Amino acid sequence: MAARPELLAPPEIFYDQSEARKYTSSSRIIDIQAKLSERALELLALPDDGVPRLLLDIGCGSGLSGETLSESGHQWIGLDISEAMLDVAVEREVDGDLLHADMGQGLGFRPGVIDGAISISAVQWLCNADKSSHEPRLRLKAFFGSLYRSLARGARAVLQLYPQNIAQRELIFNYAMRAGFGGGVVVDYPHSTKSRKEYLVLNCGPPSLSAAVPNAKGEDGMSCSDDEENHTVTVSDRNRPRKKRKLDKTNGGKDWVIQKKEQMRRKGAAVPADTKYTARKRKSRF
Amino acid sequence: MRLLTHNMLSSNIKGVTDGFPLKIEAGKVVEKEVDMNTDFLKNIFTKIEWKPFVEAAKTLGYSELPEDVDPSLLDSQDFLTKFHHALLEIHLEEGALVCPETGRKFPVSKGIPNMLLHEDEV
């Protein structure tokens, strides 16, 4: 598996021009990003009334995830720290507005104006201290605090992320809770290494019935669409069918023994001569 | 950057208590036509701070908006068209946003405001 990009360089340096180019040329990356953002939008659970909302795309990059938002008719504001990625977004003429900003410095929005926020594979970057002035805890605090303030009451934020380990997951979740968010983690395809995806689904405002954490995909026997890694193993399936022993009638018997002895003789082994006693059946009392 | 975004943005510098609205220094302004969606306009209307919105539109050279508004105007097609135009069709391509308290400039280039803060402003 490739090294985690967070460990290689800070985001504004890692996502340089050549890396940003991948996000327009690689159909695989485009496909994955589109799927992730569709799922994030689904988890956002906006009211189904056809009214376009004002959404936020945190770490919008080249605007691939924003495209999904535009397709659903929503207006969006995207922010990213990598200039090269934003340049690509401008080139692609995305519909949303773009900001060159660092989420770890807090989001500069008026309180309560945003109807929902999504973020695709971005928040784990906050856990890295790329400059001496960076303190991951303060940056997480600033991010979640400002996100909470800018969201309207009852709005949701869905953050898809790749935490490096359990400690990091806990750290991120903790700071989200401290900022006042409710919610939880939705893990799609938890048994699969490849298609496993984690979404932090955060509710802004008092918990309500509708604020229950949505169900994950692939937990209750739903299989992944593209690869069948996800079949649950039932108990009766657990034992592999044994290879049936060949019930071959050809071995045993005088002819067979003589044939085998002939074979060994040809190989040069010392084999007793064939006599009338060869392969003779023994008496039952033996 | 459209005025929709401008109306939501506020200065995020440490110590600034009221960073809204950011003043606009207009350089290059372009207009791009987009489809109008009445539902969205009605929904977003309650969230728009009207006075700064009118001011900002004037700075970008559009002064057709009424100074005072009330929700009843939302039934007027004429008003909606103007509102839509100012909100979503006027883009600030080059220029700067200025923090009302500290005077710090956030440059706008290629339509993207650079909101990155210096280390001492966080």
Side-chain angles (χ1 to χ4, degrees):
Chain A
M1 193 183 153
R4 299 179 67 94
E6 298 94 271
L7 302 180
L8 299 178
E12 64 272 32
I13 293 169
F14 178 78
Y15 290 105
D16 58 2
Q17 280 173 359
S18 66
E19 191 68 21
R21 197 54 56 193
K22 284 186 198 167
Y23 278 74
T24 47
S25 54
S26 159
S27 61
R28 186 181 138 269
I29 290 183
I30 293 175
D31 195 43
I32 291 176
Q33 291 274 320
K35 265 189 197 154
L36 289 176
S37 27
E38 263 166 42
R39 176 68 173 144
L41 188 62
E42 185 187 332
L43 289 172
L44 209 50
L46 294 166
D48 193 17
D49 50 8
V51 178
R53 312 277 156 164
L54 178 61
L55 304 178
L56 199 61
D57 184 358
I58 301 154
C60 62
S62 54
L64 286 171
S65 39
E67 226 155 66
T68 310
L69 301 181
S70 295
E71 274 165 22
S72 323
H74 299 291
Q75 296 289 344
W76 55 276
I77 301 173
L79 60 98
D80 205 282
I81 197 172
S82 157
E83 209 168 356
M85 293 288 269
L86 290 172
D87 284 343
V88 172
V90 171
E91 239 171 70
R92 290 159 52 91
E93 297 185 339
V94 293
D95 291 322
D97 272 344
L98 305 165
L99 299 175
H100 188 195
D102 179 2
M103 59 178 162
Q105 295 178 339
L107 313 169
F109 292 102
R110 279 199 291 126
V113 290
I114 308 287
D115 295 318
I118 68 163
S119 162
I120 306 299
S121 326
V123 176
Q124 74 271 8
W125 285 95
L126 281 175
C127 297
N128 290 52
D130 293 319
K131 292 178 189 159
S132 59
S133 61
H134 281 187
E135 169 55 59
R137 282 161 205 280
L138 289 181
R139 286 166 61 75
L140 280 165
K141 194 178 160 198
F143 169 66
F144 282 114
S146 59
L147 180 63
Y148 189 84
R149 281 192 297 278
S150 49
L151 286 174
R153 293 308 93 169
R156 261 185 184 175
V158 177
L159 316 171
Q160 187 271 320
L161 63 157
Y162 296 109
Q164 206 171 339
N165 47 36
I166 295 172
Q168 216 174 61
R169 182 180 304 127
E170 265 178 17
L171 183 75
I172 294 173
F173 198 62
N174 253 333
Y175 275 91
M177 295 296 120
R178 267 194 226 180
F181 282 109
V185 182
V186 174
V187 184
D188 281 357
Y189 310 117
H191 310 300
S192 156
T193 42
K194 260 182 167 175
S195 12
R196 179 194 163 95
K197 293 286 178 296
E198 282 187 28
Y199 298 84
L200 200 55
V201 180
L202 301 173
N203 300 302
C204 187
S208 63
L209 268 180
S210 64
V213 176
N215 289 332
K217 277 187 184 173
E219 249 182 355
D220 44 359
M222 275 201 303
S223 66
C224 309
S225 50
D226 42 358
D227 43 3
E228 299 279 305
E229 298 174 80
N230 209 49
H231 281 309
T232 42
V233 178
T234 55
V235 178
S236 58
D237 271 351
R238 190 162 278 164
N239 297 322
R240 237 184 243 175
R242 289 261 170 79
K243 268 188 198 163
K244 288 210 178 100
R245 191 181 279 170
K246 271 188 201 158
L247 290 170
D248 205 346
K249 288 270 162 40
T250 50
N251 60 352
K254 189 166 184 179
D255 292 342
W256 181 76
V257 171
I258 289 175
Q259 192 195 331
K260 284 285 171 192
K261 286 173 85 172
E262 192 53 47
Q263 238 173 42
M264 297 312 283
R265 240 174 248 129
R266 268 184 264 131
K267 280 185 183 173
V271 181
D274 297 340
T275 63
K276 62 173 182 176
Y277 303 107
T278 301
R280 184 185 56 160
K281 256 210 166 353
R282 293 193 191 274
K283 277 182 180 161
S284 55
R285 65 178 152 81
F286 180 78
Chain B
M1 186 195 66
R2 299 165 296 182
L3 286 184
L4 167 68
T5 307
H6 171 260
N7 207 273
M8 303 304 160
L9 272 181
S10 76
S11 163
N12 199 24
I13 299 170
K14 187 185 180 185
V16 170
T17 48
D18 191 12
F20 180 81
L22 293 158
K23 279 181 233 143
I24 298 181
E25 283 182 6
K28 187 176 152 208
V29 179
V30 292
E31 290 183 17
K32 292 175 197 162
E33 217 166 286
V34 288
D35 294 337
M36 187 162 103
N37 185 315
T38 323
D39 287 335
F40 176 73
L41 293 176
K42 285 179 181 166
N43 180 42
I44 203 77
F45 179 76
T46 49
K47 289 181 183 163
I48 296 286
E49 288 279 341
W50 195 258
K51 246 187 161 47
F53 180 56
V54 174
E55 284 300 311
K58 274 183 190 162
T59 331
L60 300 188
Y62 185 74
S63 47
E64 305 276 308
L65 292 167
E67 292 285 343
D68 292 301
V69 281
D70 58 276
S72 67
L73 271 174
L74 284 174
D75 296 326
S76 143
Q77 196 58 37
D78 180 48
F79 170 75
L80 282 177
T81 317
K82 284 176 185 168
F83 182 36
H84 168 74
H85 179 71
L87 190 70
L88 299 173
E89 293 188 329
I90 304 175
H91 293 249
L92 175 66
E93 277 292 298
E94 306 285 336
L97 302 174
V98 184
C99 170
E101 267 191 46
T102 59
R104 153 88 144 89
K105 275 189 190 178
F106 299 100
V108 179
S109 76
K110 286 185 267 179
I112 306 174
N114 183 345
M115 303 303 286
L116 288 179
L117 302 176
H118 302 308
E119 281 172 19
D120 55 338
E121 293 170 334
V122 182

